[in-house]
Amino acid sequence: DLLKGLSVSYRFGLDLYNELQSLTVNKGGISGGPGYVNGLYRTTSSFNQILNHTLLLNYNRSLGKDFSLTVDAGADLRKDSYTQSGLKSTQQIVYGLFDHSNFISHDILSEGGTDLDYKIQKTRAGLFAQAVVGFRDFFYLTLNGRNDYVSTLEKNNRSLFYPGISGSFVPTSIIEGLKGSNVVNYLKLRVGYSTSAHFPDPYNTRASLSLATNAFVDRSGTVVNIASIPNNVPNPNLKPELIRETEAGVEGKFFNNRLTLDLTAYFRTASNQILSRQLDASTGYNSTTINAGAVDNKGIEAALGYKIVNGKDWTWQIDGIYSINKSKVHDLPDDIKQIQIGGYGGGVGTYAINGQPLGILQGSYVQRDPKTGLGIVDANGYFLGSSGIAVIGDPNPLYKISGINTVSYKSLSFRMLWDYSRGGDMFSNTVRTLLSRGLTKDTDFDRALPYIIPNTVKQDGTPNNIQQSVDNIYFNAYGFGPNSVTVWDATVIRLREVSLTYMFPQQWLRKTPFGSVSLSASANNLWYLATNFPKYTRFDPESNSLGVGNARGIDLFAGPSSRRIGASLKIQF
């Protein structure tokens, strides 16, 4: 505390993690990749560090009888660094022994040619302030702003200021008919405009060289080292992405605080999108990072809670959360028809396309008869696929609902959370592989009988009567047929969380140094049902094989989702 109403605080944060990975393949295995037949051993060690400093000033003061002022201002500095070292060894000598000294050849490149040794560093500094002016505890005006400085952009584009303003009105504090009401206990109306920023990853603005030793050996036996130009063209004019949002909402408590409501409507626009633009290989590059296009998001979020039982010992609370969001891409340059944001180049993936929701799913598709709309088969009775790609689904769900049930008896509390996600399309390589190879009960029928793909026509428009074996149809038509054949509705219901908590009574702790003690047992992802996927594949639509990002709706052999069960003891002094 510096003066009356003025205080200063400093916070230091350090977040660290270390990850070790290894891939082991004994010699004599399958020829599924470079070096696999003769044995392969790859190890990587990664270290991630986030260092954060925050200096905060807080000022509170009454401005006369009616007004109040609260100001928060400060500065922060964040440094991120990621370091990875790795080694790939091939040509195993002793079977079963995985040590780099047991392999003849060594390299710092992975099987796919990516570097195993690299370092990434970036720094962001910011100045921020927020002022809240209150009038008679029923009207509040908030002004805020932040200016960031980042290391991942060139000097002229490193700084960005983004402000915000909001206001709120509490009628229950000023309207006489609502003061002390048992029906409307609290009511708040709010509206606001805010901005935020997104900055690019490092090393997209300057030319660089990729170094590799022992890249290859020429005919004379000379070992060649190389310094190559990366496939991504640097863009020195790259700028940060700016996000603007307008929001309005209402909060309320009713009927002696037993019913609660929080309703929000928003419209959000992200402009100057940071996108990877594909280039023709004849330019000598594959891509460049640009600012282009915008994405609009509009939606509603509603939370409704009701305390069914509110007794001395027993309480029973039910909460429901509903959310719906619609996105739309626009203002992409005329010479850019689409930008891929997830998946593999040239194949199934998620894209940004003018007029479409963000992340629309594209891939190869079944050609259809123009008169009947039925799928067309080729001379072998398999789906007739397209030569290019087109929209085959929208991975964005129609809406989401969550239900939370909390029951408490004295010091014991039980909580259960259910989720329901409606709609959204998903391409699943896992499911189509299981089906095409007959590995689930979904294909448990007489496979010796001939099979005709239903609801299809031949290329001349006549009904399909071409018989094939079940093995051929499922393997060639479904397993390796057009992408659109293996797109499913990703509707899913899930028991997200169950927990049981016991809070030790205070009388037990009176002669101890503890302020509170609680013991909890919890379980996550106990059960789910994807109603529109083949039943016995038991596929989880939340499986993610694309990593962290905004791409969704594609499964390219993801690991199964996990169930987590645990217990915790929490002690406060």
Side-chain angles (χ1 to χ4, degrees), residues 188-494:
K188 178 181 178 181
L189 307 177
R190 51 185 167 79
V191 63
Y193 170 80
S194 62
T195 56
S196 59
H198 172 64
F199 299 94
D201 292 330
Y203 319 129
N204 282 302
T205 63
R206 298 185 184 180
S208 61
L209 291 175
S210 297
L211 303 177
T213 59
N214 301 319
F216 57 90
V217 180
D218 64 17
R219 292 182 179 180
S220 63
T222 302
V223 175
V224 178
N225 305 321
I226 63 172
S228 62
I229 298 174
N231 291 326
N232 189 70
V233 180
N235 180 5
N237 298 315
L238 195 62
K239 298 178 181 179
E241 182 179 312
L242 185 63
I243 303 166
R244 301 178 177 89
E245 180 172 348
T246 302
E247 177 183 302
V250 56
E251 301 172 31
K253 297 180 180 180
F254 310 91
F255 306 110
N256 293 320
N257 296 316
R258 298 186 70 166
L259 178 67
T260 59
L261 171 68
D262 191 341
L263 178 64
T264 301
Y266 62 86
F267 181 82
R268 182 186 307 122
T269 297
S271 57
N272 271 345
Q273 293 274 281
I274 300 170
L275 302 172
S276 178
R277 178 181 180 180
Q278 304 302 308
L279 299 177
D280 192 300
S282 63
T283 63
Y285 298 92
N286 291 337
S287 63
T288 185
T289 305
I290 63 172
N291 295 110
V295 178
D296 294 341
N297 281 276
K298 57 182 179 181
I300 295 174
E301 297 172 350
L304 187 66
Y306 185 69
K307 189 167 288 187
I308 300 175
V309 177
N310 190 25
K312 180 180 179 182
D313 296 328
W314 283 94
T315 61
W316 180 12
Q317 172 86 19
I318 292 181
D319 296 281
I321 302 171
Y322 171 85
S323 63
I324 182 172
N325 180 81
K326 300 295 182 183
S327 66
K328 184 179 180 180
V329 177
H330 59 93
D331 290 339
L332 284 177
D334 293 337
D335 61 330
I336 301 179
K337 293 183 178 181
Q338 60 191 28
I339 292 180
Q340 187 169 359
I341 59 177
Y344 289 128
V348 62
T350 56
Y351 292 80
I353 303 174
N354 274 334
Q356 295 282 2
L358 179 64
I360 198 74
L361 190 62
Q362 287 200 123
S364 58
Y365 56 92
V366 178
Q367 296 191 45
R368 297 193 172 273
D369 181 69
K371 294 182 179 180
T372 63
L374 298 175
I376 301 174
V377 297
D378 59 22
N380 295 313
Y382 307 140
F383 290 116
L384 183 63
S386 61
S387 58
I389 61 173
V391 173
I392 59 174
D394 181 358
N396 301 290
L398 298 176
Y399 60 84
K400 292 184 177 182
I401 298 176
S402 295
I404 306 170
N405 186 76
T406 306
V407 179
S408 299
Y409 175 71
K410 293 185 177 179
S411 298
L412 193 65
S413 178
F414 173 76
R415 184 176 184 270
M416 181 168 55
L417 168 62
W418 288 84
D419 280 344
Y420 176 70
S421 180
R422 178 73 175 89
D425 299 313
M426 188 168 194
F427 168 85
S428 175
N429 208 31
T430 301
V431 173
R432 78 169 183 170
T433 300
L434 292 172
L435 294 175
S436 66
R437 299 180 185 275
L439 299 178
T440 78
K441 288 183 67 177
D442 301 285
T443 59
D444 190 10
F445 49 83
D446 191 346
R447 302 175 69 88
L449 294 175
Y451 191 83
I452 299 174
I453 300 180
N455 301 317
T456 55
V457 297
K458 293 186 290 187
Q459 296 182 59
D460 60 4
T462 60
N464 176 24
N465 59 1
I466 303 173
Q467 297 183 1
Q468 278 282 2
S469 69
V470 172
D471 291 349
N472 284 342
I473 290 293
Y474 271 82
F475 193 80
N476 295 314
Y478 292 103
F480 292 94
N483 300 137
S484 62
V485 175
T486 46
V487 173
W488 286 273
D489 183 303
T491 296
V492 61
I493 183 171
R494 185 184 308 274

Side-chain angles (χ1 to χ4, degrees), residues 530-559:
T531 55
N532 295 310
F533 275 85
K535 178 179 179 180
Y536 295 103
T537 61
R538 296 184 174 88
F539 182 74
D540 186 355
E542 288 191 359
S543 298
N544 180 13
S545 60
L546 297 178
V548 178
N550 59 1
R552 59 188 302 168
I554 300 179
D555 156 48
L556 301 170
F557 286 133

